[in-house]
Every structure is written in structure tokens, then in C-alpha cells.
Amino acid sequence: MEPQSAYPAVCWHQVIDSTNNYAKTNIQCLDNMSVVAAVHQTAGRGQGSHHWVSRPGENLTFSLVLKFGKGGVSELKASEAVRITHFFTVALCCFLAEEEVEARIKWPNDIWVGDRKICGILVENTFESGLVSSSIIGIGLNLNQKEFDPSLPNPVSLGQLTGKEYNPAGTLDRLYGMFLSHASLLDTEKGREELESEFSRRMFVLEKPLQDELRDSIERYEATR
């Protein structure tokens, strides 16, 4: 039985290959700010050809759909698509701050706590006539998992950091409320400036030797799959 959400726009699936794939296939049927969530994601995707691996039922794996223009978020130029990243990364950091976890944003859109990765994100935008028409934001948030594959370079979960056990459906509802409040900031220039400022305050770029080391670790892990 799928978990239930207090929000009609949040739809849970027991098993799905990839929430991003599902959202792309069904984009015409999904409203702005819809969420596709999975208890078990069998073919989760990361950046490029990488995979996102998550123990079923222990973490959050979901995709958020943004639509722009009539009936959606205010029109956004393709050249300003980075503002989408500002929106969801800041919302995620604010959610973690409610749990007294100080997070930072590793460029372009991973969420780290200290030197450990708590959240991976895959963004897939579509464009039309120089504007963003839709964005599918795939998010994997490590929630309750305590043991990870030792070949993964630097994972951590919220439960490890706080010592708490989280209800995935209830936690997603809380996070969705945070997304709703931050999405409204995309509708005004002042709001967009606020998001950009907060993003800049939290964002860091990994130095090249460390970035290369991390990439090599991920490639070694991918080779074992």
C-alpha cells in the first residue's frame, strides 16, 4: 500500500523505475508543483550516466514538476534557468535548518552537510521560444538509512545527523510545504533576488583535486554495479 499525503498534488508509488522518467512521460497530465514519489525506485538516475541508489522505504526519492507561464510559475527566460536551482536548493537547506542541520550547496545542485552528501538532485528542463516551459527536479534525500555501500565516497543521512527516525510521507509533506513557500518567490523580482542571495551565501565549488577524487570514487562505484 502506497503512503498517503495530505497534499493532493503529491502522488506516491510503491515501485517505479525512475520518478523523473515517470514525470517526463506524464508531463501533460501533471499540474504545476506536482510531486511523483516512490517507496522503491528501481532505476534511479543521477547526473550523466550515473545511478542513484537508495534503500527502499528508508529515504525520499521523488520528482517535483514546475510549469511556467499561464497556470504555473511566472515566465522565466532560458538564460535565467539557474533560478530554478536557487529555488529548490534554498528550500532544501531551509528544511534541513528546521532539523538544526546546517547544509550547504555544492555547485551546481548537490546538498552537503560538512564534507558529506545528504541529497542528490537531477534537473531536466524543457525550453520553448527562449523560455523555460517546464522543469522536472529529481531529488534523492538520504533520510533514515544508516548503512551505505562502503564504496560510495561520502554519504550521510538526516537520521544519522539527528538521531531521529523519520516518516517518509510525513517528511515529504513538510518539505513540500517548504517548496510551496519558496516557489512563490520565483514570481517576483524581489523574491528571485532573495533566493539568489541565499543561494550565493550557501554555495561552494569543490576544488579541482577534490572534485577529481570524488569523480574517480563515483566512477569506481559505478563500475561495480
Side-chain angles (χ1 to χ4, degrees):
M1 181 177 179
E2 289 84 5
Q4 299 298 310
S5 172
Y7 293 98
V10 177
C11 181
W12 278 91
H13 299 259
Q14 191 66 36
V15 180
I16 205 170
D17 61 345
S18 157
T19 58
N20 264 38
N21 286 350
Y22 183 96
K24 281 200 296 186
T25 300
N26 296 278
I27 189 71
Q28 298 302 324
C29 306
L30 295 171
D31 294 330
N32 179 46
M33 295 300 293
S34 292
V35 168
V36 178
V39 174
H40 182 195
Q41 194 175 219
T42 61
R45 296 163 51 211
Q47 297 292 333
S49 60
H50 294 158
H51 301 83
W52 182 260
V53 179
S54 175
R55 283 189 179 175
E58 294 190 15
N59 305 303
L60 286 179
T61 50
F62 65 96
S63 295
L64 173 67
V65 175
L66 288 184
K67 293 189 174 183
F68 296 82
K70 187 176 180 180
V73 180
S74 291
E75 211 170 70
L76 186 67
K77 295 179 182 177
S79 59
E80 296 183 332
V82 70
R83 295 193 183 277
I84 300 168
T85 297
H86 297 167
F87 146 68
F88 66 76
T89 54
V90 170
L92 282 160
C93 287
C94 288
F95 165 77
L96 292 170
E98 288 189 344
E99 292 296 319
E100 299 183 351
V101 171
E102 184 66 25
R104 56 190 186 139
I105 303 160
K106 186 184 79 65
W107 176 259
N109 52 24
D110 284 342
I111 308 297
W112 284 30
V113 178
D115 60 356
R116 303 175 75 184
K117 180 176 176 178
I118 193 169
C119 182
I121 302 153
L122 174 65
V123 184
E124 297 182 287
N125 297 323
T126 56
F127 304 94
E128 186 175 343
S129 303
L131 299 172
V132 183
S133 58
S134 66
S135 181
I136 298 172
I137 304 158
I139 295 173
L141 176 63
N142 296 331
L143 196 61
N144 293 315
Q145 190 167 334
K146 301 298 192 298
E147 296 180 359
F148 294 88
D149 189 315
S151 61
L152 285 169
N154 63 336
V156 69
S157 71
L158 186 57
Q160 286 178 313
L161 294 168
T162 66
K164 299 178 183 178
E165 187 77 15
Y166 293 88
N167 175 274
T171 303
L172 181 54
D173 279 359
R174 285 179 53 208
L175 184 52
Y176 184 72
M178 191 68 73
F179 285 138
L180 287 175
S181 63
H182 282 73
S184 66
L185 295 175
L186 288 171
D187 287 329
T188 66
E189 190 57 37
K190 181 181 178 182
R192 292 179 181 187
E193 290 173 359
E194 288 179 12
L195 288 172
E196 183 176 6
S197 175
E198 185 64 13
F199 176 86
S200 297
R201 185 178 76 82
R202 293 181 179 272
M203 190 270 291
F204 75 101
V205 177
L206 207 59
E207 295 180 359
K208 189 175 187 307
L210 292 175
Q211 183 66 49
D212 290 345
E213 182 180 339
L214 181 64
R215 183 201 62 228
D216 292 344
S217 295
I218 293 172
E219 294 297 341
R220 287 194 295 271
Y221 170 75
E222 290 287 335
T224 66
R225 290 184 51 80

